[in-house]
Amino acid sequence: MSYQLTIEPIGQTIDIEEGQTVLDACLRAGVWLPHACGHGLCATCKVQVVEGEFEHGEASPFALMDFERDERKILACCATVECDTVIEAEVDEDPDAQFIGLQDFAGRVVKADMLTPTIRGIWLEVDEPVHFQAGQYVMLKVPGVQGERAFSIGNAPGTNLVELHIRKVPGGAATTWLHDELKIGDTLEFTAPLGRFFTRKSANLPMIFLAGGSGLSSPKAMIEELFNEGCTLPMTLVQGARNEAELYYHNYFTELAAKHANFTYIPALSDADVSASWTGAKGFVHEALKAHFNNDFRGHKAYMCGPPPMIEACISTLMQGQLFERDIYTERFLTSADAEGLAKKSPLFKHV
């Protein structure tokens, strides 16, 4: 059985199946709702029910308090509807957003390489190109592991390949399987695209990309897409790693910088005992960023992806250099523990 779900204030009506969450129905119809954890813990997807009946699902009492339930608020990632329903959501309009409906795919592993001692690159081939915006991510099903896992897409759109950079997390069942058990020829199922991390091309401003560890995947895809489209705006990539062994795609970006005058590549190594032969920047990403721009980031758009401490340090550095929230973008994947902590405090930023 299906019902009609109307989303205000945009006035769009979509189909929603019995037992399907509000968030899933919206994303599959190409209607973006704010969301983050997907587990009913962070409260990012909170919306108001104007008409209709619903079930709250597994919404955390921290994320959706009793008085909010009495006010007919729901968490879209958990709630299901029981009849035709109208909701009111905070839907931001963004001229650069493409409204691409969520789809399910099966990809065959055609390549798998160790990019670093801890990061494995996996290339999935699908029957037809996956439509997405560079910077978005997939939700990957890992055999034998409960729950899907989020991984950013590491290549530009327009091909039948999906490139994933997967860091092995100690004790992590999903990443351990993907590193130790996955073989060429295996098939993996995934859902795509997700996320609101993409370049704001309409701004027509120089861009700064900040990456740490496997967080390089999204900036790599963004930069590739921009060059594929003939972008001539200045672009700077600051890539952080502990040591040279963990610095991947170094030759690729070095060659890209040599080929394109509008692209600057700054690799930075943070280990105290960096090899004497290393001639690049030493220190953390935010330190290399500050030094290169002389602490003045006005007139730029900044995009970052990496470990939470790197993100926080870079946001602080950018703001000290007079770049503020409207020009800073990031994608954060929240674990259940991360999301539960976020639900108990007010976020510093709305968008980053």
Side-chain angles (χ1 to χ4, degrees):
M1 179 180 293
S2 64
Y3 305 109
Q4 296 287 292
L5 177 68
T6 301
I7 303 99
E8 298 292 358
I10 62 175
Q12 185 169 343
T13 298
I14 64 173
D15 292 328
I16 180 170
E17 299 296 324
E18 185 175 14
Q20 184 180 23
T21 67
V22 170
L23 179 61
D24 187 69
C26 288
L27 293 179
R28 289 183 182 277
V31 178
W32 181 85
L33 294 183
H35 63 281
C37 75
H39 306 298
L41 296 168
C42 74
T44 305
C45 65
K46 192 179 298 178
V47 299
Q48 177 73 53
V49 176
V50 179
E51 297 177 16
E53 298 301 322
F54 55 88
E55 286 289 339
H56 281 294
E58 297 180 359
S60 161
F62 291 107
L64 191 68
M65 298 183 181
D66 289 342
F67 77 88
E68 292 176 309
R69 295 169 191 251
D70 293 340
E71 293 172 353
R72 292 171 58 82
K73 289 184 171 64
I74 60 172
L75 299 186
C77 71
C78 296
T80 57
V81 303
E82 299 178 325
C83 61
D84 292 347
T85 301
V86 179
I87 64 170
E88 188 173 73
E90 187 176 338
V91 182
D92 293 334
E93 294 187 11
D94 191 314
D96 296 293
Q98 298 176 21
F99 299 103
I100 306 169
L102 206 61
Q103 289 184 270
D104 299 319
F105 298 91
R108 184 172 64 89
V109 180
V110 294
K111 182 180 177 183
D113 287 339
M114 291 304 296
L115 301 174
T116 79
T118 60
I119 299 172
R120 191 183 195 195
I122 294 172
W123 285 259
L124 302 175
E125 184 179 55
V126 293
D127 292 336
E128 58 186 36
V130 179
H131 296 292
F132 65 95
Q133 289 184 264
Q136 292 188 297
Y137 64 92
V138 307
M139 293 299 293
L140 188 71
K141 293 181 180 178
V142 180
V145 178
Q146 185 176 7
E148 298 175 319
R149 298 297 191 271
F151 296 105
S152 294
I153 303 172
N155 60 284
T159 75
N160 285 48
L161 291 179
V162 172
E163 176 183 340
L164 305 176
H165 304 171
I166 298 173
R167 182 177 69 88
K168 189 174 185 178
V169 178
T175 60
T176 297
W177 190 92
L178 291 167
H179 270 250
D180 298 346
E181 305 295 335
L182 183 71
K183 304 181 299 297
I184 302 296
D186 287 349
T187 298
L188 292 175
E189 296 179 353
F190 64 93
T191 304
L194 294 105
R196 293 277 282 185
F197 192 45
F198 49 82
T199 49
R200 270 57 179 186
K201 300 170 187 174
S202 65
N204 201 37
L205 290 172
M207 287 162 280
I208 300 169
F209 297 94
L210 307 170
S214 61
L216 179 66
S217 51
S218 288
K220 175 181 175 288
M222 292 168 153
I223 291 166
E224 284 184 356
E225 181 185 55
L226 289 165
F227 278 124
N228 289 348
E229 295 173 350
C231 179
T232 57
L233 290 167
M235 290 180 262
T236 301
L237 169 64
V238 184
Q239 179 189 4
R242 291 192 302 272
N243 49 54
E244 289 180 76
E246 292 290 343
L247 187 70
Y248 69 107
Y249 276 113
H250 175 66
N251 291 338
Y252 171 78
F253 288 116
T254 298
E255 292 171 4
L256 204 62
K259 182 179 179 181
H260 297 279
N262 62 319
F263 179 64
T264 301
Y265 173 51
I266 305 169
L269 303 182
S270 60
D271 271 0
D273 57 349
V274 171
S275 167
S277 64
W278 175 252
T279 58
K282 296 179 181 179
F284 295 105
V285 170
H286 68 283
E287 294 169 332
L289 169 70
K290 183 175 181 178
H292 180 75
F293 284 93
N294 196 27
N295 200 35
D296 187 352
F297 310 106
R298 290 173 293 180
H300 288 80
K301 289 283 186 181
Y303 305 89
M304 64 191 78
C305 196
M310 186 211 90
I311 297 295
E312 298 299 333
C314 287
I315 289 174
S316 178
T317 298
L318 289 167
M319 294 190 70
Q320 289 170 16
Q322 300 188 63
L323 196 70
F324 301 106
E325 182 187 357
R326 67 180 180 274
D327 294 315
I328 301 173
Y329 305 91
T330 187
E331 185 71 84
R332 301 188 190 199
F333 300 142
L334 299 179
T335 65
S336 295
D338 293 333
E340 198 164 338
L342 183 60
K344 297 177 184 179
K345 63 180 180 179
S346 297
L348 178 60
F349 300 106
K350 178 180 176 182
H351 300 297
V352 300

